[in-house]
Amino acid sequence: VGEGDVMLDKSVRDAMPSNGFFPAYVRYARAQTDAPDIFHLGTALAMFSAVAARGSRMAIPLPGARRKDGKTHTVTPLHLWVLLVGPSGARKSTAIQIGSRIMWYEPPMRVEKSPEATFNRWSKESGNGTLGCHGLLCYPEASVLFDIVRKPWWALAEGFLCNVYDGLTMKRLLVGKATTKDGKRTYGPPIEIKIEGPRIAFLGGISPALLSVRHHDRVSGLLGRMMMLYGDRERLDVFPPLRREDEEQRLGRMFRKYALRQRTVDMKPESWAKFVAWAKALDRESGNYAPDKRAMMTRLPQHVLRVAALYRLSIPDDDGTVADVIDRALALGELAKGAILRLPKMEK
C-alpha cells in the first residue's frame, strides 16, 4: 500500500490497478472533494473508455475471426456505460466535473428529442473509417436521459440506444431530394445515412429516489447496459482545497499517453480461466434473485471484460502488476453487483 493509498476506500483500492493512470487520478480527485472514491473511479473508467475505444479493443480466446498469427479470437469493443448511483448530495456531479477538467476536451454528445434527430446528428459525426461514431454521452443528471427515452415517440426506438452500446452499424433511408417542375413535385432516389460501428461511452449520475423502478425500464435492456456503481459520502469537507493545475496537467498528459494507445489487448489463458469461473458463479448466484436483477446481472461479465482491458491499457508495458488486472476487474464487478442488489423493489 502506497502512502497516498492509506485513506482510500479499501474496496475501491482493491478494484483498480495498484499502478498506472487510474490510482493516480483517484488519489488526486479524492483530495479535491468528499465524493466517494468509487465515483472517481467510475468517472475515470467512462472517460478513459470513450477515448480508448476509438482505436483499441480486446481479443478474448473464443472461436471467431482468425488473426494473421493464426490465433482465433473474438474481439470486444471497450466503451463503457457507467451510472453513478447515490443519494442527493453525494457529489456525483462534482466527481464528473473534476474528471472533465482532466480527461475530456471535446463537447459531449447528446440524445436529441426524437430518435430520428439523434440518428441524423450522430450519422454526421460518423464515417471516420473503421473507428465509426465515437464520443461521450455525459448526463450528470441521468434522469434527463431516461425522461427523454420514455416519451411515446421513443417507444419503438429504444433498441436504437441498445444497438449503440452493442456497437452495431445502423442504416436509415431518407426521402430523396425534392424538385418541382411544371407544378409537379418529384423526389430523387432515397438517401442512405448510417452510423458506422459506434463506440460511444456513457457517464451519468442518479439518485436512488429518482432511479426508475418500473418493470419496463428494468427489462428493456437500456439500464442493464449500464454498469452501476453505488456510493455515499463518508467524509465531510467543508472547505475544498485549491486546485493544483500543475498536477491536473500531469494527469492530463498521462491520460492521453495511455488512452490514445491503439492496440489489441490479448487476454491470457490464465486470466480467461479466472474470468470464466467468476462468470459461472455469478450465473448460478443470479438464479436466487428477482427476474429484473437477474437480467441486469447477465451483462456484468461484459462490463468486467472491458474494464480489464482498460486497466491493461492504463499500465506501462514493463509494469510488474499487469498480471493482476483481471483480479482487480473482477473486484469491481462485485461492487457493480452490489449496486444492482441495492435497487429498490419494482413498481407494479
Side-chain angles (χ1 to χ4, degrees):
V1 179
E3 181 180 352
D5 291 337
V6 174
M7 294 188 298
L8 279 175
D9 184 305
K10 184 179 185 303
S11 64
V12 176
R13 188 176 69 225
D14 293 342
M16 65 180 176
S18 54
N19 289 323
F21 172 75
F22 288 106
Y25 171 76
V26 172
R27 283 196 296 268
Y28 173 77
R30 80 180 314 272
Q32 299 299 305
T33 178
D34 50 5
D37 298 334
I38 190 65
F39 288 172
H40 298 311
L41 179 56
T43 296
L45 278 166
M47 293 187 174
F48 193 98
S49 77
V51 176
R54 300 180 184 188
S56 294
R57 54 189 186 171
M58 185 177 200
I60 55 180
L62 284 175
R66 186 173 294 275
R67 296 199 319 222
K68 292 181 180 179
D69 59 10
K71 296 180 180 179
T72 58
H73 67 175
T74 297
V75 173
T76 183
L78 301 185
H79 56 285
L80 276 176
W81 286 15
V82 177
L83 185 63
L84 309 179
V85 182
S88 179
R91 304 286 193 265
K92 300 179 291 293
S93 297
T94 303
I96 294 173
Q97 182 182 25
I98 293 173
S100 65
R101 294 203 308 252
I102 296 173
M103 294 180 286
W104 197 253
Y105 305 94
E106 301 176 7
M109 304 179 72
R110 67 177 186 269
V111 172
E112 304 294 338
K113 293 184 178 180
S114 72
E116 295 81 9
T118 304
F119 196 108
N120 293 350
R121 182 178 181 87
W122 290 2
S123 66
K124 294 175 183 177
E125 300 172 10
S126 186
N128 191 13
T130 58
L131 300 183
C133 183
H134 56 258
L136 175 69
L137 277 172
C138 189
Y139 283 85
E141 293 294 339
S143 57
V144 174
L145 175 64
F146 291 132
D147 288 342
I148 291 175
V149 299
R150 286 179 192 143
K151 301 297 183 184
W153 48 88
W154 269 93
L156 299 178
E158 192 172 358
F160 162 63
L161 290 179
C162 293
N163 288 340
V164 168
Y165 171 85
D166 295 336
L168 302 178
T169 295
M170 292 167 284
K171 300 178 182 180
R172 182 167 177 255
L173 291 179
L174 301 181
V175 176
K177 185 178 180 180
T179 57
T180 303
K181 185 176 182 180
D182 299 330
K184 184 178 180 181
R185 180 178 290 261
T186 59
Y187 296 90
I191 302 172
E192 180 185 272
I193 61 174
K194 63 180 179 179
I195 296 177
E196 186 81 25
R199 299 291 183 264
I200 300 175
F202 170 85
L203 175 61
I206 198 167
S207 168
L210 297 176
L211 185 62
S212 173
V213 293
R214 299 186 310 168
H215 181 268
H216 171 74
D217 295 319
R218 293 280 183 92
V219 300
S220 65
L222 184 58
L223 191 61
R225 283 168 168 79
M226 298 179 181
M227 183 173 67
M228 290 184 286
L229 298 173
Y230 182 87
D232 196 359
R233 281 196 300 163
E234 296 182 355
R235 301 181 291 141
L236 181 60
D237 295 342
V238 180
F239 302 104
L242 295 175
R243 286 178 56 183
R244 295 169 50 194
E245 294 189 4
D246 57 335
E247 182 66 9
E248 290 186 2
Q249 292 172 1
R250 185 187 73 84
L251 286 169
R253 291 191 297 269
M254 192 177 184
F255 169 76
R256 292 188 293 274
K257 174 182 177 180
Y258 293 117
L260 290 173
R261 299 164 110 183
Q262 295 191 6
R263 63 197 302 182
T264 297
V265 179
D266 285 298
M267 174 168 272
K268 303 300 183 183
E270 54 272 22
S271 297
W272 177 249
K274 286 183 180 181
F275 167 77
V276 170
W278 177 82
K280 288 182 177 179
L282 178 68
D283 184 60
R284 291 192 297 268
E285 180 185 351
S286 65
N288 300 321
Y289 303 126
D292 61 312
K293 295 182 179 180
R294 184 165 64 245
M296 284 187 283
M297 285 187 185
T298 60
R299 294 196 179 273
L300 272 182
Q302 189 176 59
H303 297 325
V304 167
L305 281 178
R306 297 184 183 193
V307 168
L310 296 171
Y311 281 171
R312 176 63 188 87
L313 287 172
S314 72
I315 299 174
D317 291 333
D318 58 353
D319 194 288
T321 64
V322 166
D324 71 344
V325 294
I326 186 62
D327 297 313
R328 305 302 178 113
L330 293 176
L332 187 65
E334 288 294 315
L335 294 181
K337 181 183 73 174
I340 293 174
L341 295 179
R342 293 182 69 102
L343 286 174
K345 187 177 180 180
M346 285 192 305
E347 292 177 356
K348 298 294 184 181

